Amino acid sequence: MAREQAGAAGRRKANGAAAAKPPEAGGGKDELLKHYRDMLLIRRFEERAGQLYGMGLIGGFCHLYIGQEAIAVGVQAVKQPGDQVITGYREHGHMLACGMDPKEVMAELTGRASGSSKGKGGSMHMFSTEADFYGGHGIVGAQVSLGTGLAFTNRYRDNGKVAFTYFGDGAANQGQVYESFNMAELWSLPVVYVIENNQYAMGTAIDRSSSETHLYKRGASFRIPGEQVDGMDVLAVKAAAGKAAEHARSGKGPYILEMKTYRYRGHSMSDPAKYRTREEVDEVRKTRDPIDHVEERLEKEGWADEASLKSIDAEVKRIVADAAEFARTSPEPDPSELYTDVYTTAAAGAPA
């Protein structure tokens, strides 16, 4: 019992403490308003996705990004055209931060032909080369090796691009992650590894699953630099991402960013999250919410008032409502789509 109590106390301490935080990046009015709107779009989109799942319109698994919005928005704010983004299956927010049409993303969630993967990927397996988004991936940690491969392509082509490769605290213990780290540093690959440490992985507190809970140190034995960032502060995220991207883009090799964050919902829609208390979640919402943080800054600087912020929220809600209606009413894929994109057609005369 004493050991369990000590473990619980340690988890409360880890969850409540903000990550090491650099001086807050400047952030002008237009920049901050854009970040606010982008994060709010992800929040409202995910809330509606949760509703559609409850109505039975989204099948399979559905992993929501609520609470972690500052990471995708802050990192992808420094993304340059052609830079790649790849992540795991909690990817709806990343796709929206890449600038993808909410209708296209929501239609994929409901398995419609107008979805980003023609309705065949669903929540966990979306893809868009047009948006430089190379997938949500269902195999834990698999995207780390794939993202390293994207970085190898960039180095081989000498195109000046960076692969932003996201994974969570649960995936941080996968063996393929360390094989990727070794290769990336050995060949000075332009990759930024973004660890979204939401404290609980699938449902186990990090101090119960990881002997080293400071995940930014995981590259030390490979000589990969890393830092811990307050993943609930979009400006801190953007500043750190800009530094890491420049490091990778300039030929210095990989960089690790550990984003200390927190998801408000369970691991997936089927997870009741009984491994933490409601009081713990409410405390994070009250004191560290990434959207509230920006809202307070906007009002403090005199760049927005309650009426203008409500107007932005109303606009975002209309966009999400339209996306939900589009997804609900779009046609399902024709059964023949089951047989497309399975095998590459061999060139004439080539062996089968």
Side-chain angles (χ1 to χ4, degrees):
M1 178 65 72
R3 182 178 179 182
E4 290 178 359
Q5 290 175 340
R11 289 192 291 278
R12 286 194 295 271
K13 182 177 179 181
N15 291 333
K21 184 175 178 180
E24 192 171 63
K29 175 182 178 181
D30 292 343
E31 175 189 1
L32 214 56
L33 281 169
K34 184 178 188 309
H35 294 336
Y36 178 77
R37 183 189 180 281
D38 290 347
M39 289 193 294
L40 197 58
L41 174 61
I42 295 172
R43 177 74 57 90
R44 299 295 181 241
F45 183 96
E46 294 289 68
E47 289 170 348
R48 181 57 66 93
Q51 293 172 1
L52 295 182
Y53 186 91
M55 296 165 61
L57 294 175
I58 296 175
F61 291 98
C62 185
H63 305 80
L64 303 182
Y65 202 59
I66 297 173
Q68 299 183 210
E69 298 90 350
I71 300 174
V73 171
V75 172
Q76 279 146 241
V78 306
K79 176 184 178 296
Q80 295 185 7
D83 289 346
Q84 303 103 338
V85 172
I86 186 169
T87 186
Y89 42 75
R90 196 182 305 279
E91 89 271 45
H92 316 153
H94 295 278
M95 302 181 78
L96 295 173
C98 280
M100 292 184 64
D101 187 342
K103 291 182 178 179
E104 188 178 339
V105 181
M106 195 71 85
E108 187 59 39
L109 283 170
T110 57
R112 308 299 169 135
S114 51
S116 61
S117 297
K118 301 179 183 178
K120 297 187 290 184
S123 173
M124 295 175 66
H125 303 285
M126 301 194 202
F127 204 90
S128 174
T129 53
E130 295 81 6
D132 303 314
F133 183 78
Y134 286 79
H137 293 269
I139 303 301
V140 176
Q143 73 274 18
V144 180
S145 298
L146 295 171
T148 304
L150 291 170
F152 176 80
T153 300
N154 295 336
R155 185 179 184 277
Y156 185 81
R157 294 176 175 172
D158 194 23
N159 59 16
K161 307 305 179 187
V162 171
F164 292 98
T165 302
Y166 296 80
F167 58 104
D169 48 307
N173 293 322
Q174 289 281 325
Q176 61 190 315
V177 171
Y178 300 97
E179 294 181 47
S180 299
F181 283 176
N182 185 60
M183 181 181 292
E185 178 61 24
L186 194 63
W187 292 344
S188 298
L189 302 184
V191 55
V192 175
Y193 295 111
V194 184
I195 306 175
E196 298 190 83
N197 181 3
N198 63 30
Q199 317 294 312
Y200 286 100
M202 284 186 68
T204 303
I206 187 170
D207 63 331
R208 294 181 59 202
S209 62
S210 298
S211 57
E212 173 55 81
T213 59
H214 294 89
L215 303 183
Y216 71 96
K217 296 180 180 179
R218 291 296 182 89
S221 63
F222 304 100
R223 301 180 182 177
I224 301 176
E227 64 180 281
Q228 191 179 83
V229 185
D230 183 354
M232 307 296 272
D233 182 339
V234 69
L235 294 180
V237 170
K238 183 178 180 180
K243 173 184 173 182
E246 175 57 29
H247 176 96
R249 206 182 304 278
S250 64
K252 296 178 181 177
Y255 202 98
I256 295 173
L257 294 175
E258 178 193 358
M259 300 292 180
K260 289 293 288 296
T261 187
Y262 197 87
R263 55 172 168 77
Y264 297 160
R265 301 290 184 92
H267 172 68
S268 71
M269 286 295 295
S270 60
D271 173 20
K274 292 183 178 180
Y275 41 81
R276 60 185 183 182
T277 66
R278 170 50 55 188
E279 290 75 19
E280 178 183 301
V281 178
D282 289 343
E283 178 65 17
V284 176
R285 276 185 176 271
K286 180 180 177 181
T287 62
R288 297 182 58 206
D289 186 81
I291 297 175
D292 287 350
H293 177 73
V294 173
E295 186 174 310
E296 291 166 5
R297 173 82 184 276
L298 286 167
E299 292 180 329
K300 178 182 176 181
E301 298 288 350
W303 292 338
D305 56 18
E306 184 178 356
S308 60
L309 294 174
K310 284 185 176 180
S311 177
I312 293 172
D313 194 16
E315 176 205 0
V316 165
K317 286 179 177 177
R318 282 194 299 272
I319 292 170
V320 171
D322 289 346
E325 181 63 16
F326 177 79
R328 189 184 67 80
T329 58
S330 291
E332 295 183 352
D334 187 274
S336 63
E337 272 293 335
L338 286 171
Y339 304 97
T340 64
D341 306 318
V342 178
Y343 296 107
T344 300
T345 302

